[in-house]
Amino acid sequence: MHGEGEQLEEFPQLHISLEAANELLSQVDISINECQTRIDDKRAPFSFLTKSKAEIIVTAQYEKSAKTMNVVGTIEGTDPDLKDEYLVIGAHLDHVGSQAGLLFPGANDNASGSAAILKLAEAFKKVKQNHRSLSFYLLASEEYRYVNSVSSTKHFVENLNLPTGQAGIDTSQIIAMLNLDCIGYGDSIQIGNGKSSPELWSLASKIDKENFNLGLMIPGMAAGTDLTPFYEKRESTGLYFVSKYSYDHLHLPTDTPETLNTVLFEKIVKLAYLASEELLMELYKEKHY
């Protein structure tokens, strides 16, 4: 989590529990909470000898680079004049996997978004008339975004090749991008990037109030997760769907299917579908684009 570039392979670093930290401090009768309070109050380092020793055994193997894979599918629009304009709907399909013998299931983050993309693609494949083209993506490496700046998403944005009889497209042909990340846990919905995409945000808000009344939050949040590379290319590009109170089990072994709010999940996916349905039709350009 130290940013781009090579990591410090010869300087092992690890997270430890509060209990382990207090055990290391037991010889000096200072708790980890006291340390934090003192640092917060003085706004200065608080260093001392712990009089304890710890042995760290590192078995991880550092790989500077590894192959990954993005999955992209396209449904071509039916209008000859509008099929070169795209609505992009996406989610990341990776999670943190297994570490130190613990499995991190990633049910909410982001099997929920990945499942939504598959269902949305299945639904729109049955629609006989979508004026604009529709591209679905599932991207890898989102969980390593602090290391490689969402490389998979950036690669997708910078190498767009969504065929409608031409070699490729640029971001000006994307009328909107909807990103679904952590949409299966909580009690309501948040939609980000509304400050940069007020028309899109208003559209989603209107559909929500008419159908679900889930309550749209954080209209001012800029981009977020896989939406960021699109935002950097063109700020008014899209929206970031995430359920409210979505992170109780974030990156924990407890992020299991049993914790998911399936009723909320279904409503958010339907909201994304209805918003997409309107974005794909010709009238959207006259109203908003």
Side-chain angles (χ1 to χ4, degrees), residues 109-141:
D109 181 20
N110 187 32
S112 64
S114 299
I117 296 303
L118 295 177
K119 293 305 293 184
L120 288 168
E122 180 183 328
F124 276 108
K125 187 64 178 175
K126 298 176 182 178
V127 177
K128 294 183 179 180
Q129 186 179 53
N130 291 314
H131 292 161
R132 295 182 171 87
S133 294
L134 183 59
S135 176
F136 298 95
Y137 78 76
L138 291 169
L139 299 182
S141 297

Coordinates of all heavy atoms in Angstrom, one line a residue, residues 109-141:
D109 N -17.9 -7.4 -1.6 CA -16.8 -6.8 -2.3 C -15.9 -7.8 -3.1 O -14.9 -8.3 -2.5 CB -15.9 -6.0 -1.3 CG -14.8 -5.2 -1.9 OD1 -14.8 -5.0 -3.1 OD2 -13.8 -4.9 -1.2
N110 N -16.2 -8.1 -4.3 CA -17.3 -7.4 -5.1 C -18.0 -8.5 -5.9 O -18.3 -8.3 -7.1 CB -16.7 -6.3 -6.0 CG -17.8 -5.5 -6.6 OD1 -18.9 -5.3 -6.1 ND2 -17.5 -5.1 -7.8
A111 N -18.3 -9.6 -5.3 CA -19.1 -10.6 -6.0 C -20.5 -10.0 -6.2 O -21.1 -10.3 -7.2 CB -19.2 -11.9 -5.1
S112 N -20.9 -9.1 -5.3 CA -22.2 -8.5 -5.5 C -22.3 -7.7 -6.8 O -23.2 -7.8 -7.6 CB -22.6 -7.6 -4.3 OG -21.7 -6.5 -4.2
G113 N -21.3 -6.8 -7.1 CA -21.2 -6.1 -8.3 C -21.0 -6.9 -9.5 O -21.6 -6.7 -10.6
S114 N -20.2 -8.0 -9.4 CA -19.9 -8.9 -10.5 C -21.2 -9.6 -10.9 O -21.5 -9.8 -12.1 CB -18.8 -9.9 -10.2 OG -17.6 -9.2 -9.9
A115 N -22.0 -10.1 -9.9 CA -23.2 -10.8 -10.2 C -24.2 -9.9 -10.8 O -25.0 -10.3 -11.7 CB -23.8 -11.4 -8.9
A116 N -24.2 -8.6 -10.4 CA -25.1 -7.6 -11.0 C -24.8 -7.4 -12.5 O -25.8 -7.3 -13.3 CB -25.0 -6.3 -10.2
I117 N -23.6 -7.3 -12.8 CA -23.2 -7.1 -14.2 C -23.7 -8.3 -15.1 O -24.2 -8.1 -16.2 CB -21.7 -7.0 -14.4 CG1 -21.2 -5.8 -13.6 CG2 -21.2 -7.0 -15.8 CD1 -21.8 -4.5 -14.1
L118 N -23.5 -9.5 -14.6 CA -24.0 -10.7 -15.3 C -25.5 -10.7 -15.5 O -26.0 -11.0 -16.6 CB -23.6 -12.0 -14.6 CG -22.1 -12.2 -14.5 CD1 -21.8 -13.5 -13.7 CD2 -21.4 -12.3 -15.9
K119 N -26.2 -10.3 -14.5 CA -27.7 -10.2 -14.6 C -28.1 -9.1 -15.5 O -29.1 -9.3 -16.3 CB -28.3 -10.1 -13.2 CG -28.2 -11.3 -12.3 CD -28.7 -12.6 -12.9 CE -30.2 -12.6 -13.1 NZ -30.7 -13.9 -13.6
L120 N -27.5 -8.0 -15.5 CA -27.8 -6.9 -16.4 C -27.5 -7.2 -17.8 O -28.3 -6.9 -18.7 CB -27.0 -5.6 -16.0 CG -27.5 -5.0 -14.6 CD1 -26.4 -3.9 -14.2 CD2 -28.8 -4.3 -14.8
A121 N -26.4 -7.9 -18.1 CA -26.1 -8.3 -19.4 C -27.1 -9.3 -19.9 O -27.6 -9.2 -21.1 CB -24.7 -8.9 -19.4
E122 N -27.5 -10.2 -19.1 CA -28.5 -11.2 -19.4 C -29.9 -10.5 -19.8 O -30.5 -10.9 -20.7 CB -28.7 -12.2 -18.3 CG -29.7 -13.3 -18.5 CD -29.9 -14.2 -17.3 OE1 -29.0 -14.4 -16.6 OE2 -31.1 -14.7 -17.1
A123 N -30.2 -9.5 -19.0 CA -31.5 -8.8 -19.2 C -31.5 -8.0 -20.5 O -32.4 -8.1 -21.3 CB -31.8 -7.9 -18.0
F124 N -30.4 -7.3 -20.7 CA -30.4 -6.4 -21.9 C -30.2 -7.2 -23.2 O -30.5 -6.8 -24.3 CB -29.2 -5.4 -21.8 CG -29.7 -4.1 -21.0 CD1 -29.2 -3.9 -19.7 CD2 -30.6 -3.2 -21.6 CE1 -29.7 -2.8 -19.0 CE2 -31.0 -2.1 -20.9 CZ -30.6 -1.9 -19.6
K125 N -29.6 -8.4 -23.1 CA -29.5 -9.3 -24.3 C -30.9 -9.6 -24.8 O -31.1 -9.9 -26.0 CB -28.8 -10.6 -23.9 CG -28.4 -11.5 -25.1 CD -27.5 -10.8 -26.1 CE -27.1 -11.7 -27.2 NZ -26.3 -11.0 -28.2
K126 N -31.9 -9.6 -24.0 CA -33.3 -9.9 -24.4 C -34.0 -8.7 -24.9 O -35.1 -8.9 -25.5 CB -34.1 -10.5 -23.2 CG -33.5 -11.8 -22.6 CD -34.2 -12.2 -21.4 CE -33.6 -13.5 -20.8 NZ -34.3 -13.9 -19.5
V127 N -33.5 -7.5 -24.8 CA -34.1 -6.3 -25.3 C -33.9 -6.2 -26.8 O -32.8 -6.3 -27.3 CB -33.6 -5.1 -24.6 CG1 -34.2 -3.8 -25.2 CG2 -33.9 -5.2 -23.1
K128 N -35.0 -6.0 -27.5 CA -34.8 -6.0 -29.0 C -34.4 -4.7 -29.6 O -33.9 -4.6 -30.7 CB -36.2 -6.4 -29.6 CG -36.6 -7.8 -29.3 CD -38.0 -8.1 -30.0 CE -38.4 -9.6 -29.7 NZ -39.7 -9.9 -30.4
Q129 N -34.5 -3.6 -28.8 CA -34.2 -2.3 -29.3 C -33.5 -1.4 -28.3 O -34.1 -1.0 -27.3 CB -35.4 -1.6 -29.8 CG -35.1 -0.3 -30.6 CD -36.3 0.4 -31.1 OE1 -37.3 0.7 -30.3 NE2 -36.4 0.8 -32.4
N130 N -32.2 -1.3 -28.4 CA -31.4 -0.3 -27.6 C -30.7 0.6 -28.7 O -29.9 0.1 -29.4 CB -30.3 -1.0 -26.8 CG -30.9 -1.8 -25.7 OD1 -31.8 -1.3 -25.0 ND2 -30.5 -3.0 -25.5
H131 N -31.1 1.9 -28.7 CA -30.5 2.8 -29.7 C -29.0 2.8 -29.6 O -28.3 2.8 -30.7 CB -31.2 4.1 -29.6 CG -32.6 4.2 -29.9 ND1 -33.5 5.2 -29.5 CD2 -33.4 3.3 -30.6 CE1 -34.7 4.9 -29.9 NE2 -34.7 3.8 -30.6
R132 N -28.5 2.9 -28.4 CA -27.0 3.1 -28.3 C -26.5 1.7 -28.0 O -27.1 0.8 -27.6 CB -26.7 4.0 -27.1 CG -27.1 5.5 -27.5 CD -26.7 6.4 -26.4 NE -26.9 7.8 -26.8 CZ -28.1 8.5 -26.7 NH1 -29.1 7.9 -26.1 NH2 -28.2 9.7 -27.1
S133 N -25.1 1.6 -28.1 CA -24.5 0.3 -27.8 C -24.2 0.3 -26.3 O -24.1 1.3 -25.6 CB -23.1 0.2 -28.5 OG -23.4 0.1 -29.9
L134 N -24.0 -1.0 -25.8 CA -23.9 -1.2 -24.4 C -22.7 -2.1 -24.2 O -22.5 -3.1 -24.8 CB -25.1 -1.9 -23.9 CG -25.3 -2.2 -22.4 CD1 -25.2 -0.9 -21.6 CD2 -26.6 -2.9 -22.1
S135 N -21.8 -1.7 -23.3 CA -20.6 -2.5 -23.0 C -20.5 -2.8 -21.5 O -20.7 -2.0 -20.7 CB -19.3 -1.7 -23.4 OG -18.2 -2.4 -23.0
F136 N -20.4 -4.1 -21.2 CA -20.2 -4.6 -19.9 C -18.8 -5.0 -19.6 O -18.1 -5.6 -20.5 CB -21.1 -5.8 -19.6 CG -22.6 -5.6 -19.8 CD1 -23.2 -5.8 -21.0 CD2 -23.3 -5.1 -18.8 CE1 -24.5 -5.6 -21.2 CE2 -24.7 -4.8 -19.0 CZ -25.3 -5.1 -20.2
Y137 N -18.2 -4.6 -18.5 CA -16.9 -5.1 -18.2 C -16.8 -5.6 -16.8 O -17.5 -5.2 -15.9 CB -15.9 -3.9 -18.4 CG -15.8 -2.9 -17.3 CD1 -15.2 -3.2 -16.1 CD2 -16.4 -1.7 -17.4 CE1 -15.1 -2.3 -15.0 CE2 -16.4 -0.8 -16.4 CZ -15.7 -1.1 -15.2 OH -15.7 -0.2 -14.2
L138 N -15.9 -6.6 -16.6 CA -15.5 -7.1 -15.3 C -14.0 -7.0 -15.3 O -13.3 -7.6 -16.1 CB -15.9 -8.5 -15.1 CG -17.4 -8.7 -14.9 CD1 -17.8 -10.2 -15.0 CD2 -17.9 -8.2 -13.6
L139 N -13.4 -6.2 -14.4 CA -12.0 -5.9 -14.4 C -11.3 -6.4 -13.2 O -11.9 -6.5 -12.1 CB -11.8 -4.3 -14.5 CG -12.3 -3.6 -15.7 CD1 -12.0 -2.2 -15.7 CD2 -11.8 -4.3 -17.0
A140 N -10.1 -6.8 -13.4 CA -9.2 -7.3 -12.3 C -8.4 -6.2 -11.7 O -8.3 -5.1 -12.2 CB -8.3 -8.4 -12.8
S141 N -7.7 -6.5 -10.6 CA -6.7 -5.6 -9.9 C -7.3 -4.4 -9.3 O -6.5 -3.5 -8.9 CB -5.6 -5.2 -11.0 OG -5.0 -6.4 -11.4

